Amino acid sequence: MDKTMLASVKTAARHALDCRPWVAGHGAYLLHQVSGRGPIDETGALDDAAMRAAAGWLAAAQDSQSDGGFSGRYKLASGWSSSYPETTGYIIPTLLKLADHWGEPQWRDRAARAIDFLLGLQLADGAFPGGEVLENRTRPSPFNSAQILHGLTHWARSTGDGRAAAAAARCAAWLMSVQDADGAYRRHFYLDVAATYAAHLSCWLAEYGDAFGDSAALASAERHLDWVLARQDKATGWFDLAGFTEDQHRDRNAYTHTIAYTVAGVLTTSLILKREDGIAAARQAAEGIMRRLELSRRLPGVLDWRWREVEHPQCLTGNAQMALIWFALTRHDGDWRFANAGFKALDLVKHAQLRDNANLGLAGGIGGSDPVWGSYIPKALPNWAAKYFIDGLLEKRGLLQEAASNP
């Protein structure tokens, strides 16, 4: 056993009791963290199996609940957590894509159950609560509300459901009402501190405004885009205030998850509004992160403002999100360097996935970190990691199919 493997085994042993290795499937999952993975599937041969397994895990996450929502995560220490409205909202577009991709109505049926769950949670002012349902049903969250707006918009456009359209309009109006004059979001935000990852809030206002012809929503999204762009380091492409905490803001570092939220939000809004300055800003950041992936041959879970590693374990959600950003830039620019980075990032997520396991909470799911005891969602498998992984694999397939038909 080499030194790296020995160190991994020792680390796993330290965390073993917290992860209940005596529970069905847990021992095999923990072993998978340190050995037995085999080579990375760089040919894409296992993409379909990986997507099926991740979708099966999402189905299990919904079936673990009685309210139609998706469990926020499977925790090795305690099992399935309660339904998470925010991520249930943005899983809905993924379910609609799966229904179309596989021609299987069950995924649309699951989206309908999720919509009913969310409509029952909307607050009187149009907002939605933050956190999981067992933690909170009354305190509003702008960021979480916007992710639900994304799901409502897609469902309303796909089905013509007037309930969803009306809920989306109320939610969008509330989001605009809590935006500050300078374009930032502070009220009801974490610690009441503005963060640039709220670009992944305003981009769904832009999407809603574009879908329903709401000029006020488009203008609101553009004001926030301007606020975020003013906080970009022009030398490196880094966006300040991209982290979760005041410490991360001070130290100018963040998880790849919130970095990707920021870059994706800037890019999505800019594509809708045809803002070339925003597209260029997203491209600069994406190029810096791509260079880190190429140099490290992996994507460290926390990066600083010079795109250097701060924390070694990967944040698998961030990998999948960055793949989506790189694929979007490939479509816009025709630059296949970005696509290549996206393929590599998804391969790293696929390599961390355990598709076969006796425990439905583990089979096909994606850990918060790789290894699973890293600091991002430690010792748990969050539903949004599976969601973004599926989105990434679908976009990869679509990109390659388009390239084959239009070389």
Side-chain angles (χ1 to χ4, degrees), residues 48-64 70 80 95 98 102 104 106-107 110 353 355 359-365 386 390:
D48 287 341
M51 193 190 311
R52 273 287 179 190
W57 185 92
L58 276 182
Q62 187 177 38
D63 291 343
S64 73
F70 285 78
W80 292 109
L95 297 173
L98 286 176
W102 285 327
E104 296 175 357
Q106 61 170 297
W107 304 104
R110 289 188 176 280
Q353 182 192 40
R355 288 183 288 281
N359 189 322
L360 293 179
L362 298 172
I390 293 168

Side-chain angles (χ1 to χ4, degrees), residues 198-266:
H200 207 258
L201 175 172
S202 56
C203 71
W204 303 135
L205 265 179
E207 178 186 70
Y208 168 81
D210 187 53
F212 291 100
D214 189 326
S215 59
L218 290 169
S220 174
E222 188 155 25
R223 286 196 301 276
H224 190 259
L225 174 65
D226 289 335
W227 182 86
V228 174
L229 292 179
R231 279 142 189 86
Q232 186 177 37
D233 186 315
K234 302 306 181 186
T236 67
W238 168 265
F239 289 96
D240 278 317
L241 308 180
F244 278 127
T245 67
E246 290 180 317
D247 287 346
Q248 286 186 321
H249 293 172
R250 181 196 65 227
D251 297 336
R252 304 184 77 193
N253 64 54
Y255 286 109
T256 54
H257 174 48
T258 52
I259 293 170
Y261 267 159
T262 308
V263 180
V266 167

Side-chain angles (χ1 to χ4, degrees), residues 318-383:
N319 279 38
Q321 290 173 276
M322 284 308 309
L324 288 164
I325 292 165
W326 287 321
F327 293 157
L329 286 167
T330 302
R331 290 181 185 278
H332 184 269
D333 295 352
D335 186 342
W336 279 78
R337 292 179 308 135
F338 289 123
N340 186 53
F343 299 157
K344 291 177 179 177
L346 288 179
D347 285 343
L348 290 165
V349 181
K350 198 185 335 173
H351 196 235
Q353 182 192 40
L354 183 59
R355 288 183 288 281
D356 298 315
N357 190 280
N359 189 322
L360 293 179
L362 298 172
I366 306 298
S369 295
D370 182 30
V372 74
W373 42 78
S375 72
Y376 181 72
I377 315 294
K379 305 171 191 174
L381 291 76
N383 68 32

